[in-house]
């Protein structure tokens, strides 16, 4: 949904050879972001935070189902899962709308085809939101990492308790747990690497006054890479050929 909403705006800016502020009503200069630029900044912030919150919900579910199966069976229902998504999206939308209300400043970045929250320069009112945004992202990253590491520990313990030798049917559960273990590890490392640059840039802009649009653009690209690559990691890893390759490597090791 984020790609479908954001990509046409960028393509239109390139097609008309204009910046986002010039395309939409409102501002006509780099220092005055227009309505389209403000909308773009809101969508960028929202689709950076909302999937992270949903990833935390998935990591919590995985951790509870493996580490606390009785609590999971008794308290986590389909109704709770159905309401969690809209609730998370609503909270993220309210939080990311704060710059539109004056807490934080949307800003057009070079080369004029993307907008985000101003992460350097200005006073506490302008820089308070990016610091808060980065802190929230950092807490979510830590929580997701902790849940996934705990889930991996439970999966490793389950695999260790499976019989090492015997017929193929006896070894299948152990290999299935190792499959999930490797997949969780890959996704955790990928998510952490892609999320940290934006968090670091927000703190550097606020406390070190480091105004570097190229570095900010690279940080946003890293954040976008996560949402593109993560599904492919999951899809490719679930194929039988790749899983067979991983199992042979694990057996040799």
């Amino acid at each position: 949904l984020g790609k479908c909403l954001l990509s046409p705006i960028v393509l239109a800016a390139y097609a008309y050879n204009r910046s986002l502020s010039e395309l939409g009503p409102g501002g006509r200069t780099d220092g005055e972001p227009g309505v389209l630029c403000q909308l773009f900044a809101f969508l960028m912030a929202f689709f950076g935070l909302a999937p992270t919150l949903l990833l935390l919900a998935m990591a919590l579910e995985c951790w509870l189902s493996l580490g606390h199966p009785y609590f999971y069976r008794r308290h986590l229902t389909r109704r709770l899962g159905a309401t969690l998504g809209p609730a998370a999206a609503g909270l993220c939308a309210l939080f990311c709308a704060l710059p539109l209300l004056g807490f934080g400043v949307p800003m057009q970045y070079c080369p004029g085809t993307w907008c985000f929250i101003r992460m350097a320069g200005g006073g506490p009112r302008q820089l308070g939101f990016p610091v808060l945004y980065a802190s929230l992202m950092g807490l979510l990253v830590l929580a997701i990492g902790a849940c996934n590491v705990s889930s991996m520990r439970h999966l490793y313990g389950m695999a260790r308790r499976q019989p090492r030798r015997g017929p193929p049917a006896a070894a299948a559960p152990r290999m299935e747990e190792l499959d999930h273990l490797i997949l969780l590890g890959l996704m955790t490392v990928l998510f952490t690497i892609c999320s940290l640059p934006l968090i670091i840039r927000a703190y550097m802009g606020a406390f070190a006054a480091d105004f570097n649009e190229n570095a900010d653009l690279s940080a946003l690209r890293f954040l976008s890479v996560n949402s593109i690559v993560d599904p492919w990691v999951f899809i490719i890893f679930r194929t039988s050929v790749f899983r067979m390759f991983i199992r042979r490597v694990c057996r040799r090791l």
Side-chain angles (χ1 to χ4, degrees):
L1 182 59
K3 297 294 181 287
C4 293
L5 290 176
L6 289 168
S7 297
I9 302 176
V10 179
L11 294 176
Y14 277 107
Y16 288 100
N17 197 23
R18 293 183 178 181
S19 65
L20 296 185
S21 295
E22 293 173 336
L23 276 179
R28 286 290 179 267
T29 63
D30 291 343
E32 298 178 7
V35 175
L36 190 61
C37 182
Q38 295 179 24
L39 175 63
F40 195 94
F42 167 78
L43 291 176
M44 285 286 287
F46 175 79
F47 286 108
L49 187 62
T52 310
L53 198 58
L54 291 177
L55 278 175
L56 176 61
M58 295 168 65
L60 280 171
E61 183 193 15
C62 185
W63 172 63
L64 287 173
S65 63
L66 291 171
H68 306 276
Y70 295 110
F71 179 88
Y72 176 82
R73 178 75 175 177
R74 186 169 184 176
H75 296 284
L76 270 71
T77 62
R78 288 179 177 268
R79 181 177 297 178
L80 178 63
T83 57
L84 198 59
L91 288 174
C92 289
L94 290 174
F95 179 77
C96 295
L98 290 176
L100 304 178
L101 303 176
F103 184 65
V105 179
M107 175 183 169
Q108 179 176 283
Y109 283 81
C110 183
T113 54
W114 68 288
C115 297
F116 195 63
I117 309 303
R118 185 183 183 94
M119 292 191 288
R125 187 178 181 85
Q126 287 78 22
L127 297 180
F129 180 81
V131 171
L132 190 60
Y133 186 89
S135 300
L136 183 57
M137 283 284 291
L139 289 175
L140 291 176
V141 169
L142 287 175
I144 292 170
C147 289
N148 284 345
V149 168
S150 180
S151 299
M152 291 163 63
R153 185 174 61 84
H154 288 298
L155 283 170
Y156 181 72
M158 292 165 63
R160 288 287 299 270
R161 288 193 292 270
Q162 294 290 338
R164 291 182 176 272
R165 296 184 181 182
R174 180 171 182 265
M175 293 310 303
E176 183 177 358
E177 285 143 8
L178 286 176
D179 287 342
H180 289 295
L181 176 66
I182 296 171
L183 179 62
L184 266 180
L186 284 175
M187 296 182 76
T188 302
V189 171
L190 177 66
F191 171 73
T192 304
I193 292 175
C194 291
S195 302
L196 283 179
L198 179 65
I199 298 171
I200 294 171
R201 285 302 308 163
Y203 278 109
M204 288 182 66
F207 298 109
D210 182 17
F211 188 76
N212 189 337
E213 292 192 24
N214 290 328
D216 294 338
L217 178 58
S218 299
L220 264 296
R221 282 174 174 165
F222 266 98
L223 192 65
S224 300
V225 162
N226 179 62
S227 61
I228 298 171
V229 177
D230 243 359
W232 283 106
V233 171
F234 186 79
I235 291 169
I236 292 172
F237 192 82
R238 299 302 292 177
T239 59
S240 57
V241 176
F242 190 76
R243 293 176 72 177
M244 188 181 301
F245 170 75
I246 292 295
R247 289 177 182 182
R248 287 183 178 177
V249 172
C250 289
R251 287 195 182 103
R252 287 177 179 268
L253 294 176

